[in-house]
Amino acid sequence: VQLVESGGALVPAGGSLRLSCIFSGFRFADYAIGWFRQGPGKGREGVSCIVGHNDATWYSNSVKGRFTISSDSAKNLVYLEMKNLLPADAGVYTCAAIRFNKYGSQEAQIGLGMSGFMDHWGKGTQVTVSS
């Protein structure tokens, strides 16, 4: 299993950026993929998640309305479109995957995963937002 992020860059406040996560070694339909970030001196924060078998999405309150997660399952890609970036959005963005039971509680599994209990992690990509 492998997840590799790309797209991190230096952008001005108010700018936009799209991150990509390409994954391999598992079927997206059996997993959910989430984006996490860790800013300087901060703990890791779950940002957004997409469920493979039904494309259900979840966003943290801090990014809701500004970030959009999407997938291209044919290309094994998950994207995080980020708009109106704030200096507080800066950090290392990491994608991760959690095996998902489509017959179980979606809310519970997303909550568990986005609390950091993911099965597989990428190495991250740096996003810097200049004020």
Side-chain angles (χ1 to χ4, degrees):
V1 173
Q2 193 172 22
L3 299 103
V4 180
E5 307 87 344
S6 62
L10 168 64
V11 294
S16 299
L17 201 60
R18 187 178 80 164
L19 305 182
S20 299
C21 171
I22 187 164
F23 58 89
S24 61
F26 61 91
R27 283 197 338 139
F28 184 47
D30 296 329
Y31 279 76
I33 291 180
W35 283 96
F36 296 78
R37 68 185 180 189
Q38 186 164 14
K42 299 180 181 179
R44 184 171 59 200
E45 175 190 8
V47 172
S48 184
C49 176
I50 186 166
V51 179
H53 78 271
N54 64 4
D55 283 337
T57 58
W58 173 90
Y59 298 93
S60 69
N61 287 333
S62 61
V63 307
K64 200 172 293 183
R66 300 187 297 120
F67 289 15
T68 303
I69 192 168
S70 62
S71 67
D72 184 340
S73 57
K75 296 181 180 179
N76 281 10
L77 280 164
V78 169
Y79 303 104
L80 186 68
E81 188 82 37
M82 306 185 292
K83 296 182 179 180
N84 192 21
L85 282 161
L86 307 170
D89 294 320
V92 176
Y93 281 69
T94 304
C95 64
I98 183 170
R99 190 166 182 89
F100 209 87
N101 179 359
K102 66 181 180 181
Y103 302 111
S105 167
Q106 178 166 284
E107 183 177 357
Q109 292 180 84
I110 289 176
L112 181 67
M114 298 313 292
S115 296
F117 294 94
M118 304 295 269
D119 295 316
H120 309 287
W121 294 84
K123 294 185 178 180
T125 185
Q126 178 72 48
V127 172
T128 304
V129 183
S130 61
S131 55

